[in-house]
Amino acid sequence: MKKLCFLIISIAALHASAQTSGLEAIVAKKADSLFKQTVAWRRDFHEHPELGNQEVRTSGIIAKYLQSLGLEVKTGIAKTGVVGILKGGKPGPVIALRADMDALPVTERTPVPFASKVRATYNGQEVGVMHACGHDSHMAMLMTVAEILTSMKSQLHGTVKFIFQPAEEGVPAGETGGGEEMVKEGVLENPKVDVIFGLHIFSYIPVGTLTYRSGGVMASVNDMKIIVKGKSAHGAYPWFSTDPIVTSAQIINNLQTIVSRNVNITENPAVVTIGAINGGTRHNIIPEKVEMVGTLRALSPGDEKLLIERVKQIATKTAEANGATADVAIPFSVHYPVTYNDPALTAKMLPTLQRTAGPSNAVAGPAVTGGEDFSFYQEKVPGLFVFLGGMPKGADPKTVAPNHTPDFFIDESAFPLGVKTLCNLTLDYMNMKN
């Protein structure tokens, strides 16, 4: 009886493997044949970028295309978000695939014919607008994935949600949005999502390469504000003051010991950065207060908690030792959780990554101390977020322009691998659960 059961299971596994293999061949062919269309979409989005919560043109193009595929389309989620729902011909899990839509307040310098010349207002300032983080590529690839998976609708075991999200880079002052708002507005419900996949293209990872990491792959983000209050005096008579500038300098120096002495850096990196300090108006006046702002980055919830507690302790106690006070707010406007790749899901899907890119081209990579609001989805459902190489072959990763800079450049030959990766992750997960 045991042998019979094993035989039945083996036959079923072979059937699922054969089915996946057949669909994978279709995916590969279609991803290559649709390359020019993917590039055309990307270049159009690149030439016409829109800032967070302002992606009206962008979301309109996406919604219209998803509707043309016959998908159930929802718009206006978290202001400009778009979701397309593809119901497969057979029962199975609900899989979400996510792309971000917003551009950055960066003035482009790349010498490409489709370079952005768009200007806009951001937090009261006139700025250039540029897709300097690859979101144009993410949208174009996911639109192509939607076309491919829709073409094999009758063979799909389950449902696919295509999530096009606004404001990943943050929102203007006083607004809400992004992944956190998408989750609040129910994007993972009706139907309830079982798992979510996403990818991010990077300019310093070679074309043809996928990198992944189990556990914390991108850092939590907490901004901080420290207000040091002392006593003002004439600069010639400092003994009458409680100097908030000297106190602030000591706080900044003492904060450096958190990473060097409190965080176990053999397990995870961490960052404590003061990005701005403001205090005083004149060379011979010691001011009453100094204000500092900065950012904390951690790769685990435990380290995130440690950083917050130590910053508060060091700032307040250092100030107290000087007779001053320190008010600490963490976060005061921005918080992203750790982008956390579910270890079991990562292990389960690793063969898919290796098969799609080739075993030597799907490599475990280091954590990134940048943040991603894909993390808000991963707080609710298991998720896997991988990095796609966009650096031209032969380029030096130490000298290429990084994401978020005016010279950011992506090699478009990376797109077919990104499309195949998202398609194959979806198909393999469906057949695992079938």
Side-chain angles (χ1 to χ4, degrees), residues 209-258:
T209 302
L210 295 173
T211 68
Y212 66 92
R213 188 177 194 257
S214 182
V217 63
M218 296 188 77
S220 63
V221 179
N222 285 281
D223 63 355
M224 61 178 167
K225 180 184 289 185
I226 303 173
I227 299 175
V228 179
K229 297 177 182 178
K231 180 183 176 184
S232 179
H234 194 296
Y237 314 112
W239 47 87
F240 290 127
S241 76
T242 301
D243 193 334
I245 291 180
V246 171
T247 301
S248 296
Q250 292 175 359
I251 289 173
I252 292 171
N253 284 334
N254 291 343
L255 290 179
Q256 306 312 304
T257 64
I258 297 175

Side-chain angles (χ1 to χ4, degrees), residues 378-409:
Q378 292 175 309
E379 281 193 317
K380 303 297 182 182
V381 299
L384 175 61
F385 196 65
V386 299
F387 299 154
L388 174 67
M391 182 181 72
K393 292 181 179 178
D396 183 352
K398 296 179 181 179
T399 60
V400 297
N403 297 45
H404 287 224
T405 64
D407 301 304
F408 174 73
F409 177 81

Side-chain angles (χ1 to χ4, degrees), residues 183-231:
V183 171
K184 287 180 179 178
E185 294 191 15
V187 75
L188 298 177
E189 306 296 332
N190 302 316
K192 185 174 177 58
V193 170
D194 294 295
V195 68
I196 187 166
F197 298 117
L199 59 75
H200 199 302
I201 197 165
F202 279 95
S203 63
Y204 60 82
I205 298 175
V207 160
T209 302
L210 295 173
T211 68
Y212 66 92
R213 188 177 194 257
S214 182
V217 63
M218 296 188 77
S220 63
V221 179
N222 285 281
D223 63 355
M224 61 178 167
K225 180 184 289 185
I226 303 173
I227 299 175
V228 179
K229 297 177 182 178
K231 180 183 176 184

Side-chain angles (χ1 to χ4, degrees), residues 147-401:
E147 178 168 336
I148 293 172
L149 293 180
T150 299
S151 72
M152 51 183 68
K153 175 179 178 179
S154 63
Q155 298 166 281
L156 297 183
H157 291 270
T159 297
V160 185
K161 274 190 175 181
F162 302 97
I163 298 174
F164 292 85
Q165 176 208 304
E168 189 279 326
E169 301 289 358
V171 297
E175 297 185 22
T176 60
E180 183 177 20
E181 191 66 26
M182 295 284 279
V183 171
K184 287 180 179 178
E185 294 191 15
V187 75
L188 298 177
E189 306 296 332
N190 302 316
K192 185 174 177 58
V193 170
D194 294 295
V195 68
I196 187 166
F197 298 117
L199 59 75
H200 199 302
I201 197 165
F202 279 95
S203 63
Y204 60 82
I205 298 175
V207 160
T209 302
L210 295 173
T211 68
Y212 66 92
R213 188 177 194 257
S214 182
V217 63
M218 296 188 77
S220 63
V221 179
N222 285 281
D223 63 355
M224 61 178 167
K225 180 184 289 185
I226 303 173
I227 299 175
V228 179
K229 297 177 182 178
K231 180 183 176 184
S232 179
H234 194 296
Y237 314 112
W239 47 87
F240 290 127
S241 76
T242 301
D243 193 334
I245 291 180
V246 171
T247 301
S248 296
Q250 292 175 359
I251 289 173
I252 292 171
N253 284 334
N254 291 343
L255 290 179
Q256 306 312 304
T257 64
I258 297 175
V259 174
S260 67
R261 291 296 179 268
N262 300 140
V263 176
N264 184 345
I265 56 175
T266 64
E267 295 178 354
N268 284 316
V271 173
V272 178
T273 292
I274 297 295
I277 177 169
N278 294 285
T281 57
R282 186 177 163 86
H283 70 94
N284 62 348
I285 299 175
I286 295 171
E288 288 187 334
K289 70 176 182 178
V290 170
E291 181 175 306
M292 296 179 277
V293 292
T295 186
L296 305 178
R297 308 292 173 115
L299 268 298
S300 74
D303 283 346
E304 181 180 14
K305 182 180 179 183
L306 170 67
L307 295 186
I308 293 171
E309 290 178 346
R310 288 293 287 143
V311 167
K312 289 181 177 180
Q313 184 181 44
I314 287 172
T316 57
K317 296 301 182 182
T318 302
E320 182 181 338
N322 286 357
T325 62
D327 298 326
V328 183
I330 306 175
F332 74 91
S333 66
V334 176
H335 170 250
Y336 288 2
V338 177
T339 304
Y340 186 83
N341 284 338
D342 180 89
L345 179 65
T346 304
K348 186 181 295 184
M349 306 314 300
L350 179 55
T352 303
L353 302 179
Q354 294 172 329
R355 197 176 66 249
T356 303
S360 63
N361 294 320
V363 297
V368 173
T369 48
E372 238 290 348
D373 74 356
F374 189 81
S375 54
F376 287 104
Y377 305 105
Q378 292 175 309
E379 281 193 317
K380 303 297 182 182
V381 299
L384 175 61
F385 196 65
V386 299
F387 299 154
L388 174 67
M391 182 181 72
K393 292 181 179 178
D396 183 352
K398 296 179 181 179
T399 60
V400 297

